[in-house]
Amino acid sequence: MAKEGEPWEWRMSFPDGMSMLFVSECIPHTPGFVVGLLGLMQSGWRYGTSEPRKIIHCFKVGMALCLVSLFYYVDPLYEGVGGNAMWAVLTVVVAFEYTVGATICKCVNRTTATFIAGALGVGVHWVATLFGKEWEPIILQGSVFFFASSTTFLRFLPSVKTHFDHGALIFIFTFILVSVSGYRMPDLFDFAQHRLSNVAIGTSICVVTSIFCCPVWAGNELHSLILNNMEKLADSLDAYVAVYLRDDADDMKKEASKEKLVGYRSVLDSMSTEESLVNYARWEPAHGGFSFKHPWKDYLELGALLRSYANCIDTLSGIVSDTKAPAFLKRHFSTVCLKLSLNSSAVLRELVVVVRTSAESPKIGLRQKEMCVAVQELHNTLKVLSNQNTVATETKPEEFSEGKGESVLPFVAIVQLVTLSSLLIEIVARTEKLVNAVNILAHKVTNSE
């Protein structure tokens, strides 16, 4: 911190080595909002360099808005849409999403809801006029109450909320706009027609821009998410088992990559992301290696299995944080436990290849056999530990002890190692379930092509 009256420097570093140097002659007079603004600039720069596709999406939105604004600036286009081009602009602002599937979903919802609500509003207005001026506002108000209330109730239903929530909201808005405006508007049919045409123009620009200008497919995002989650689980499993079984566990924690140790946590929080991506992927046309009949729903089952796998690693991390087992006892288990974890993580990495290529891997069968052999070896080691501890307790306590003064293995040490062994065996069982789920997915993908 510079003293009062001395120049003060604040250097803001960027990932690529660039830096910005800001010099203030007197730090007490530097406004707080300037400091916050510079910090925001630094965060924005880092996020932009790590997520360049988000920057491209920003330019796509700007380009779509420029295109739809031409209906205001060009006279023939302005006259053709009836002077209500602002609805097209607002449609682009509301409906343009990051992925192609999300954009198509919102555009279809918006267009369909506008058409149904507009037609229904015109029909209700026509029926209300048949009853005369006295009954017309009563009928219109009754229809507004009925359709708004019933549609709002439908929005609470899980299936409607997941797929058609935006459409239900637009239906309420458009119906009220058409039915209420129709009471004072002589050419209601033209108004509804212009409203629909402007929404169609806005949604068309959104869909075309999203698909043909650096598209971001929800299917690809979901596919990459599942692959990354598998790799994170494999890395976390190897890291935690290695940390626990090393004598210098504290030093090993410092050496181990923090990303590998905590990578499994993002898998635990991926459920909502997976569900939204599956929903949007169903709206997308065939692209890349994904056909229109791609089994997107199977990714939800695969994601649930990965989260159950991550729960085991989360429990394993609790054991690692409290390493009370003696070093000689951990060395006694290190070979078989490391063999078991390495084979399990190897199977996960082979499953990544299977999901990526939708082709069977000949290495998985060998890895599974090695896993089963390692599980049997772990069972045998636990039996030996139990027998030796019983003998040490009842007859010759000094036989199993490697340290002076130790006669019987500590109870806490035994519980920890048994818990570790049980977790590794459970991880093997869940790995087998993952293998079955991935094989089913690969078979369905092959048949859908």
Side-chain angles (χ1 to χ4, degrees):
M1 178 74 70
K3 295 181 179 180
E4 185 174 357
E6 294 181 356
W8 172 71
E9 295 183 355
W10 184 13
R11 184 175 299 274
M12 187 163 60
S13 301
F14 293 88
D16 59 355
M18 296 177 60
S19 63
M20 297 180 63
L21 184 63
F22 301 92
V23 180
S24 175
E25 293 297 334
C26 189
I27 186 172
H29 296 289
T30 303
F33 76 89
V34 175
V35 177
L37 180 60
L38 295 177
L40 181 62
M41 292 172 58
Q42 181 182 14
S43 300
W45 178 271
R46 289 175 177 173
Y47 184 78
T49 53
S50 62
E51 294 284 347
R53 292 188 301 173
K54 300 292 179 66
I55 302 298
I56 296 175
H57 174 69
C58 298
F59 285 106
K60 289 165 62 177
V61 173
M63 183 175 65
L65 288 173
C66 289
L67 289 175
V68 76
S69 298
L70 293 177
F71 286 88
Y72 249 99
Y73 300 141
V74 181
D75 291 337
L77 295 178
Y78 180 78
E79 295 173 358
V81 296
N84 295 312
M86 186 54 67
W87 291 115
V89 177
L90 294 177
T91 297
V92 173
V93 174
V94 174
F96 206 127
E97 294 290 339
Y98 177 62
T99 62
V100 175
T103 301
I104 295 177
C105 177
K106 269 199 170 182
C107 289
V108 172
N109 270 267
R110 191 175 184 87
T111 305
T112 306
T114 301
F115 174 77
I116 296 175
L120 195 59
V122 172
V124 169
H125 175 74
W126 177 77
V127 172
T129 56
L130 298 179
F131 288 86
K133 282 293 182 180
E134 293 182 359
W135 287 93
E136 183 178 355
I138 298 176
I139 295 175
L140 292 177
Q141 287 293 83
S143 65
V144 168
F145 174 81
F146 174 77
F147 286 110
S149 301
S150 58
T151 307
T152 302
F153 174 77
L154 290 176
R155 293 182 64 197
F156 288 109
L157 301 180
S159 58
V160 176
K161 190 173 185 63
T162 301
H163 303 286
F164 309 108
D165 185 66
H166 181 71
L169 187 64
I170 295 301
F171 174 85
I172 297 174
F173 173 75
T174 304
F175 180 79
I176 294 176
L177 184 66
V178 172
S179 61
V180 174
S181 300
Y183 185 71
R184 302 288 183 180
M185 188 176 297
D187 51 349
L188 179 61
F189 182 79
D190 291 339
F191 172 77
Q193 184 181 9
H194 289 152
R195 161 88 174 146
L196 179 61
S197 62
N198 280 281
V199 169
I201 291 171
T203 54
S204 299
I205 291 176
C206 288
V207 172
V208 171
T209 306
S210 180
I211 293 178
F212 295 101
C213 182
C214 301
V216 178
W217 302 98
N220 286 339
E221 294 293 301
L222 175 64
H223 197 72
S224 300
L225 177 63
I226 295 296
L227 296 180
N228 291 335
N229 286 346
M230 286 184 178
E231 292 175 348
K232 289 177 182 178
L233 291 179
D235 292 338
S236 295
L237 177 61
D238 287 342
Y240 276 116
V241 174
V243 166
Y244 182 80
L245 295 175
R246 284 283 296 268
D247 295 338
D248 51 343
D250 293 335
D251 296 337
M252 188 69 178
K253 287 180 183 179
K254 296 178 181 178
E255 295 175 3
S257 173
K258 185 178 180 181
E259 295 182 357
K260 291 183 178 181
L261 290 175
V262 301
Y264 74 93
R265 295 179 184 175
S266 62
V267 182
L268 294 172
D269 301 328
S270 63
M271 180 176 178
S272 59
T273 304
E274 291 171 1
E275 289 179 347
S276 62
L277 288 176
V278 167
N279 179 37
Y280 295 142
R282 293 173 177 174
W283 291 89
E284 294 177 344
H287 58 278
F290 306 107
S291 63
F292 186 74
K293 296 181 179 179
H294 195 80
W296 297 115
K297 191 174 181 180
D298 287 43
Y299 283 86
L300 293 178
E301 181 181 354
L302 192 57
L305 292 174
L306 291 176
R307 281 188 294 276
S308 68
Y309 200 105
N311 285 325
C312 288
I313 298 180
D314 188 42
T315 307
L316 184 64
S317 67
I319 299 176
V320 173
S321 63
D322 189 17
T323 56
K324 294 182 179 179
F328 78 91
L329 194 56
K330 288 194 290 185
R331 287 196 299 271
H332 187 68
F333 275 77
S334 62
T335 301
V336 62
C337 287
L338 283 175
K339 180 180 179 181
L340 188 56
S341 65
L342 289 175
N343 280 291
S344 299
S345 60
V347 171
L348 275 180
R349 292 187 174 93
E350 288 299 322
L351 291 179
V352 171
V353 178
V354 175
V355 175
R356 181 180 290 118
T357 61
S358 299
E360 295 183 1
S361 173
K363 298 181 181 179
I364 289 184
L366 178 61
R367 293 294 187 183
Q368 285 181 286
K369 292 180 181 179
E370 293 177 352
M371 269 197 321
C372 295
V373 172
V375 169
Q376 187 60 44
E377 291 179 359
L378 182 57
H379 279 296
N380 295 336
T381 305
L382 288 173
K383 289 180 182 178
V384 171
L385 174 65
S386 177
N387 294 334
Q388 289 178 335
N389 194 50
T390 301
V391 172
T393 304
E394 296 179 353
T395 56
K396 299 178 180 180
E398 67 280 2
E399 287 184 3
F400 192 69
S401 175
E402 292 188 11
K404 295 181 179 180
E406 296 183 31
S407 58
V408 183
L409 293 177
F411 178 74
V412 175
I414 296 176
V415 170
Q416 271 200 349
L417 286 171
V418 170
T419 304
L420 173 67
S421 303
S422 300
L423 282 174
L424 290 178
I425 293 172
E426 179 62 24
I427 285 175
V428 169
R430 300 189 181 189
T431 303
E432 296 285 352
K433 292 182 179 179
L434 278 173
V435 172
N436 294 334
V438 169
N439 288 335
I440 293 173
L441 176 62
H443 179 70
K444 289 183 178 180
V445 171
T446 303
N447 292 337
S448 65
E449 292 178 352

